[in-house]
Amino acid sequence: MEPKFDHVGIPTVGSFDGEIPLPHLKITVSDHQNNPFGIQWQRYWDDAPYPDLVKTVPHVGFEVDDLAAALVGQHVSIEPNSPSAGVLVAFIEVNGAPVELLQIDHEVRPDL
């Protein structure tokens, strides 16, 4: 499968409707599935251990079949990690912009 659009993540310092805290990642997000365009607000906690580029510049998320293969030859800015069951993500930098790649196990996560 070619990379498939999943969402756009928009960093903010303000509050937003439907906040979902993710303490293990030190970030609060909104549900990108509650709108037809995949818009997800993101507020990074003060001690969130991520590059400033990811914390300040909007990113586009794409689903891939094989995250490890998709990362080959890329400039990885956030190593693979699991924000939730059945989801593995990593961030790369492309032309100075952050891009999130997601590998989703749809048997574990039929909701995604």
Side-chain angles (χ1 to χ4, degrees), residues 17-80:
D17 290 338
E19 292 188 349
I20 304 166
L22 301 174
H24 67 293
L25 297 175
K26 299 184 178 189
I27 184 174
T28 299
V29 300
S30 66
D31 179 5
H32 71 282
Q33 292 184 298
N34 75 356
N35 65 88
F37 304 102
I39 296 169
Q40 180 184 65
W41 291 100
Q42 302 179 323
R43 185 176 59 253
Y44 291 88
W45 301 7
D46 290 341
D47 58 346
Y50 306 112
D52 285 340
L53 181 69
V54 172
K55 295 193 288 187
T56 60
V57 176
H59 72 268
V60 180
F62 290 94
E63 182 179 348
V64 296
D65 283 335
D66 183 342
L67 183 60
L71 295 177
V72 172
Q74 299 293 337
H75 177 251
V76 177
S77 53
I78 298 177
E79 293 292 330

Side-chain angles (χ1 to χ4, degrees), residues 22 24-25 67 79-90 103 109:
L22 301 174
H24 67 293
L25 297 175
L67 183 60
E79 293 292 330
N81 64 85
S82 181
S84 61
V87 180
L88 188 62
V89 305
Q103 179 179 315
R109 295 300 304 270

